[in-house]
Amino acid sequence: ADKVFDDYISSQDIKLGISSGKLIQGVFASNATNCFEGFVRRNLNADSDEDQRDILISGKKSINRAVDSDIVVVELFPESEWIAPSE
C-alpha cells in the first residue's frame, strides 16, 4: 500500500533546519470551512513583517497529521509553487 504521509523528521534535523532558516516553526490553524486547508501562524515576536505572514498549507499530504493548535515545522515550497487560499 502507498504511504499517505511522509515520515516525520528527527528532532536533530528539525533543530538544524530551524536554526539555518530552512524550516519555519509555528502554530497550525485549521480552516473551519475546508478540512484540506489551514495556515501556520509564524512566531509573532519576529522582527520583520515578512516573518509574521501566515503560511498556507493546502492538501491532506501537506497538512500531514496536524490538527488545530499543533506546533508544527514547515519547509516553504519555491515561490513559483505558492497558491492562494480557497474562497
Side-chain angles (χ1 to χ4, degrees), residues 38-50:
F39 295 87
V40 172
R41 303 206 181 275
R42 297 185 193 209
N43 179 358
L44 296 178
N45 296 323
D47 292 332
S48 74
D49 290 338
E50 182 175 342

Side-chain angles (χ1 to χ4, degrees):
D2 291 333
K3 289 176 22 175
V4 175
F5 301 113
D6 293 334
D7 292 333
Y8 288 122
I9 60 176
S10 72
S11 296
Q12 181 178 354
D13 287 344
I14 290 171
K15 289 176 188 173
L16 290 171
I18 291 171
S19 66
S20 73
K22 180 179 179 185
L23 300 177
I24 300 165
Q25 181 174 315
V27 177
F28 180 73
S30 60
N31 181 326
T33 60
N34 182 348
C35 66
F36 297 110
E37 190 173 86
F39 295 87
V40 172
R41 303 206 181 275
R42 297 185 193 209
N43 179 358
L44 296 178
N45 296 323
D47 292 332
S48 74
D49 290 338
E50 182 175 342
D51 288 343
Q52 295 183 24
R53 291 186 299 173
D54 291 342
I55 301 167
L56 173 66
I57 308 297
S58 182
K60 183 176 16 174
K61 182 174 171 64
S62 293
I63 291 173
N64 205 326
R65 292 153 274 208
V67 295
D68 195 63
S69 300
D70 276 355
I71 297 172
V72 298
V73 175
V74 296
E75 180 177 358
L76 294 180
F77 290 141
E79 195 166 348
S80 63
E81 295 180 32
W82 291 6
I83 59 172
S86 63
E87 294 189 21

